[in-house]
Amino acid sequence: KYLFVFDFDETIINENSDDSIVRAAPGQALPEHIRQTFREGFYNEYMQRVLAYMGDQGVKMGDFKTVYENIPLSPGMPDLFQFLSKNHELFEIILISDANMFGIECNLRAAGFYSLFRKIFSNPSGFDKKGYFTLGPYHSHKCLDCPANMCKRKILTEYLAERAQEEVEFERVFYVGDGANDFCPSVTLTSADVAFPRKGYPMHRMTQEMEKQQPGAFQATVVPWESAAEVTRYLQEVLKK
């Protein structure tokens, strides 16, 4: 059996969903005083302020839902999902994302692929008594390379350990992502595994830099993609063997 790990923003979907929801704000923009509160590594806290502002402006659950449901999937992604669905007995599929549970669920249900995923790891979110969209951090961790609220390496390592205890061992791990926070877990992959970084995005650049600076340190096979069709083709070859 293979473990397939997906990122969400700019991987499954072709946008960053945190930016997308601004379409539900008045004038489809955020005021400067909110934008200026952003600090590197504290994006989750920043989004909490964005959502509080949107709640104050009367943006409701239905408005957010509509935006999430209409975010387009990345090129080739529906076909990759169809392929995984056809071969579901061979793949265990999980999603690790620094977006939020509500948004991911809305988008995947609308696209018809929610049931593909055995588990989704993302920041907790929901609506409070006032009807405001609230967001929390996923966990805390000690990784210096990741945002304060989420280290995907920690999540993946713990998941593999938990599955091993349940006597589920994976022949290989496939990891599809785009961001710097996807590079962190991909460094732990072995030579049997495959990393699929989206071409020209931070994860791809970081794998290239690591290969230059420490040849052989990045162990997984690297297969960059522009369309998820390239991922599907690679998997078809693997299954032929």
Side-chain angles (χ1 to χ4, degrees):
K1 207 170 187 177
Y2 303 116
L3 179 67
F4 208 102
V5 187
F6 277 99
D7 164 53
F8 183 66
D9 286 319
E10 294 184 286
T11 299
I12 288 179
I13 56 170
N14 211 21
E15 298 177 5
N16 178 328
S17 60
D18 286 339
D19 296 339
S20 306
I21 57 168
V22 175
R23 292 203 280 271
Q28 304 203 340
L30 295 174
E32 195 50 41
H33 72 266
I34 299 272
R35 291 216 308 267
Q36 283 178 352
T37 65
F38 172 67
R39 286 181 18 250
E40 196 62 53
F42 294 91
Y43 196 79
N44 185 267
E45 284 176 26
Y46 167 71
M47 280 310 294
Q48 291 172 26
R49 289 189 291 275
V50 168
L51 295 175
Y53 162 77
M54 290 177 76
D56 289 342
Q57 301 301 310
V59 183
K60 298 276 185 287
M61 176 172 157
D63 306 319
F64 287 109
K65 192 166 181 279
T66 302
V67 171
Y68 284 126
E69 288 177 346
N70 289 298
I71 299 173
L73 299 183
S74 291
M77 200 50 72
D79 294 341
L80 172 56
F81 282 158
Q82 296 287 2
F83 172 82
L84 290 170
S85 175
K86 273 197 203 94
N87 297 285
H88 66 94
E89 69 292 339
L90 296 172
F91 295 96
E92 179 163 304
I93 305 166
I94 64 171
L95 197 165
I96 309 178
S97 164
D98 198 3
N100 70 81
M101 287 303 281
F102 175 77
I104 292 171
E105 208 167 302
C106 287
N107 182 271
L108 292 176
R109 282 192 194 284
F113 297 113
Y114 181 71
S115 61
L116 261 188
F117 296 87
R118 181 178 184 268
K119 195 133 195 222
I120 294 173
F121 299 91
S122 191
N123 299 302
S125 60
F127 292 83
D128 67 13
K129 286 195 202 71
K130 289 192 292 188
Y132 282 33
F133 189 10
T134 61
L135 175 69
Y138 179 76
H139 61 187
S140 58
H141 60 83
K142 297 186 172 65
C143 175
L144 301 174
D145 298 321
C146 285
N149 62 298
M150 178 176 283
C151 170
K152 294 187 177 187
R153 180 196 302 213
K154 183 178 183 195
I155 295 171
L156 180 58
T157 313
E158 286 173 0
Y159 185 79
L160 289 168
E162 182 189 310
R163 293 303 276 146
Q165 276 187 315
E166 292 158 0
E167 297 187 7
V168 178
E169 296 284 348
F170 298 104
E171 211 176 307
R172 308 169 84 162
V173 177
F174 298 104
Y175 193 110
V176 185
D178 75 291
N181 64 351
D182 296 310
F183 178 71
C184 182
S186 67
V187 174
T188 65
L189 300 176
T190 69
S191 55
D193 305 328
V194 184
F196 296 96
R198 192 169 184 178
K199 237 177 232 171
Y201 284 73
M203 180 187 179
H204 185 212
R205 289 197 292 274
M206 290 163 89
T207 50
Q208 290 173 313
E209 278 160 27
M210 189 173 198
E211 193 42 53
K212 264 198 215 111
Q213 288 160 6
Q214 311 161 280
F218 192 90
Q219 292 184 24
T221 302
V222 179
V223 181
W225 59 281
E226 271 171 14
S227 161
E230 296 158 78
V231 180
T232 308
R233 277 199 295 277
Y234 188 91
L235 297 176
Q236 284 166 334
E237 290 304 312
V238 168
L239 298 193
K240 273 183 200 158
K241 289 168 193 165

